[in-house]
């Protein structure tokens, strides 16, 4: 009887502690649950993901890996699926410049040339 009462008390305390707000604890210490439905983890259909609004892309083995990486990320920045051509030259599991690498460090895919015609 006493052991049942002790076990009930412990379970009640654990349940109460789980319902309390985290307060000053860091977000990295709280567990995160990611539920990915309709995922074929064995698929070899590569996908390309852009990291937030940056010009960095990552090639993933499949869409499940991209969704998982976005879910478990500790930051609010997530991957969004973009055309696989944006990951040309990037191997699976690696991050690189979207649209492939360029030989000039000053070039950017967001730059649009302005042509001025005179006369």
């Amino acid at each position: 009887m006493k052991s049942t009462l002790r076990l009930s008390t412990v379970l009640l305390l654990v349940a109460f502690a789980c319902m309390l707000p985290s307060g000053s604890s860091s977000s990295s210490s709280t567990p995160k649950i990611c539920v990915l439905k309709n995922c074929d983890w064995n698929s070899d259909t590569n996908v390309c993901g852009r990291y937030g609004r940056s010009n960095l892309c990552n090639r993933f083995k499949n869409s499940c890996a991209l969704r998982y990486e976005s879910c478990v990320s500790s930051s609010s920045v997530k991957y969004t699926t973009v055309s696989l051509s944006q990951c040309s030259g990037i191997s699976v599991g690696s991050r690189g410049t979207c649209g492939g690498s360029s030989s000039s460090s000053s070039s950017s895919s967001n730059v649009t040339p302005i042509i001025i015609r005179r006369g």
Side-chain angles (χ1 to χ4, degrees):
M1 178 72 176
K2 284 186 178 183
S3 65
T4 305
L5 184 58
R6 283 186 207 157
L7 180 61
S8 298
T9 305
V10 169
L11 289 174
L12 181 63
L13 290 174
V14 169
F16 182 73
C18 289
M19 291 188 300
L20 290 176
S22 59
S24 63
S25 68
S26 68
S27 63
S28 62
S29 65
T30 47
K32 191 169 191 176
I33 298 172
C34 298
V35 178
L36 302 177
K37 294 183 179 182
N38 302 323
C39 266
D40 179 8
W41 288 95
N42 297 318
S43 172
D44 288 325
T45 305
N46 290 178
V47 294
C48 183
R50 180 185 301 271
Y51 186 68
R53 293 184 176 181
S54 73
N55 200 28
L56 296 175
C57 286
N58 194 339
R59 183 183 286 243
F60 294 91
K61 178 182 176 185
N62 54 43
S63 62
C64 297
L66 181 143
R67 290 167 51 197
Y68 175 77
E69 188 66 31
S70 288
C71 179
V72 298
S73 173
S74 59
S75 69
S76 61
V77 180
K78 307 292 183 204
Y79 282 99
T80 54
T81 304
V82 294
S83 171
L84 190 58
S85 65
Q86 292 293 309
C87 281
S88 63
I90 303 173
S91 59
V92 174
S94 297
R95 187 185 289 184
T97 305
C98 296
S101 61
S102 63
S103 58
S104 170
S105 61
S106 63
S107 70
S108 172
S109 63
N110 294 332
V111 175
T112 305
I114 299 174
I115 300 171
I116 301 173
R117 297 182 190 218
R118 297 183 187 221

